[in-house]
Amino acid sequence: MAPTVLLADIGGTTTRVARAGADGTPFDTRLEANDSYGSLEELLRTYLASLSGEAPCCAALAVAGPIDGDVVRLTNRDWRFSVQQLAGDLGLRRLEVLNDFAAFAHGLPLLTRDDLMEVGTGRAVAGAPMLLCGPGTGLGTALILPRDGGCEVIASEAGHMRLGAVTTDEARIVAHLVRDLGPVCVEHVLSGPGLVRLHRILSGEQLSSHAIIKAALNGQMQEKESCLVFLRILGRVLGDLALAFDAKGGVYVGGGIGRAMAHLFADSPFRAAFEEHPPYHDRLSLVPIHVVTHATPGLVGIGEIGRRLLREV
């Protein structure tokens, strides 16, 4: 049997786990709730025990947190592990670990037109930097720098930048969050938990992010208003980042919350807020923006890393 690689896209709330062969295409894919496991090792052991045939010889993991050395900690979950020890415990010859949005970025070139939804218009500048950003359990970000024959991916923790206010309603939101949380960062609003906080401040209701988005898509006005404010803030923050990195190659919005809200973008203030950065409105109006609608783009990206890994072992 041909060797396989274990793949996992490990978020704060859920983990998508699969394996792949020499082409890097995920199969035997499962979606696991992290709350069902005490550790990442337990989750991966349970998955491996369910497989038939020869166990994967190596693994590639995408982790929602910074990768600074052998010990990896998730940002929005109390999980940590040693890369070297995990490889030994699982009997792997090689184990590669990437930030989740860095892994996602490696998969962008593999997505098709059907996996993307354009927001507004624009024209990418060939060879220019591209920005990937997406709200999920937190706010993931990565920068893609095209290079001859490929690209360089730079992971980022831009979701932890401080959040400021531009309008009076945003000032009210930030004031509430400062009272509740102390110093406010971007992902305190631009994430699934952030949408819950935002809706509670605006409406007084406590609903899950899924319920808020579902109601907004069904035309419920209060929930829709919360989503529109969310998208306005997201547009402004992405405009900030696009200017910071001169992302004339395009901006891509990923993450589970971004994908769930895909059909709200067109009639929202998102694009206007993205462009409203005087004196650079015209500059930003030329930047193309796409929402990534593929269900498992993180696995596509980490599958590409796994494909390369299999060639080396």
Side-chain angles (χ1 to χ4, degrees):
M1 184 177 178
T4 60
V5 56
L6 173 68
L7 308 175
D9 180 15
I10 304 152
T13 305
T14 60
T15 292
R16 291 170 175 82
V17 61
R19 55 177 169 163
D23 63 357
T25 302
F27 66 93
D28 284 342
T29 302
R30 295 179 196 168
L31 178 66
E32 300 288 350
N34 291 349
D35 283 345
S36 299
Y37 300 91
S39 66
L40 175 62
E41 181 181 351
E42 181 187 348
L43 187 157
L44 296 179
R45 281 188 179 280
T46 301
Y47 175 79
L48 290 171
S50 72
L51 301 178
S52 59
E54 188 175 347
C57 64
C58 55
L61 309 181
V63 177
I67 311 301
D68 295 324
D70 178 67
V71 176
V72 177
R73 297 174 177 84
L74 271 72
T75 300
N76 291 305
R77 185 168 198 88
D78 188 22
W79 279 4
R80 56 184 287 178
F81 62 92
S82 158
V83 176
Q84 184 175 349
Q85 182 176 339
L86 184 63
D89 290 346
L90 297 180
L92 301 168
R93 283 191 271 167
R94 288 279 302 277
L95 172 59
E96 291 288 331
V97 181
L98 279 74
N99 167 267
D100 59 339
F101 265 71
F104 187 161
H106 282 285
L108 273 182
L110 304 177
L111 300 181
T112 69
R113 185 181 298 272
D114 291 339
D115 299 320
L116 303 170
M117 188 191 77
E118 189 168 18
V119 182
T121 59
R123 178 174 295 181
V125 174
M130 296 177 285
L131 174 68
L132 172 64
C133 189
T137 303
L139 184 73
T141 51
L143 186 66
I144 304 113
L145 303 175
R147 299 287 187 251
D148 291 340
C151 65
E152 177 183 359
V153 175
I154 300 175
S156 168
E157 291 297 324
H160 294 273
M161 300 184 306
R162 292 293 174 242
L163 178 68
V166 172
T167 64
T168 54
D169 64 336
E170 289 176 13
R172 174 180 163 230
I173 292 163
V174 170
H176 274 269
L177 293 173
V178 168
R179 183 193 65 196
D180 294 341
L181 303 172
V184 179
C185 71
V186 170
E187 73 170 32
H188 283 150
V189 171
L190 298 181
S191 62
L195 177 60
V196 172
R197 295 185 188 104
L198 179 65
H199 185 66
R200 184 176 65 246
I201 292 167
L202 295 177
S203 72
E205 294 182 318
Q206 180 75 26
L207 296 175
S208 69
S209 57
H210 173 77
I212 295 166
I213 296 170
K214 182 178 180 180
L217 290 168
N218 288 333
Q220 297 297 315
M221 292 307 299
Q222 187 62 68
E223 287 80 4
K224 186 172 183 179
E225 178 61 25
S226 295
C227 289
L228 294 183
V229 172
F230 181 99
L231 290 172
R232 185 180 74 216
I233 297 172
L234 178 63
R236 191 183 77 245
V237 169
L238 294 194
D240 292 343
L241 292 172
L243 287 175
F245 297 114
D246 199 22
K248 291 187 285 190
V251 172
Y252 295 84
V253 182
I257 298 297
R259 182 172 65 252
M261 286 190 177
H263 294 292
L264 295 171
F265 276 78
D267 295 326
S268 79
F270 171 85
R271 182 80 209 201
F274 176 84
E275 296 175 6
E276 189 180 19
H277 285 70
Y280 291 116
H281 176 279
D282 290 345
R283 187 183 190 91
L284 289 172
S285 70
L286 299 176
V287 176
I289 303 176
H290 292 86
V291 179
V292 177
T293 57
H294 191 288
T296 56
L299 277 185
V300 173
I302 203 64
E304 175 62 12
I305 302 301
R307 181 185 70 80
R308 299 173 194 176
L309 194 57
L310 275 179
R311 289 188 314 193
E312 299 172 3
V313 296

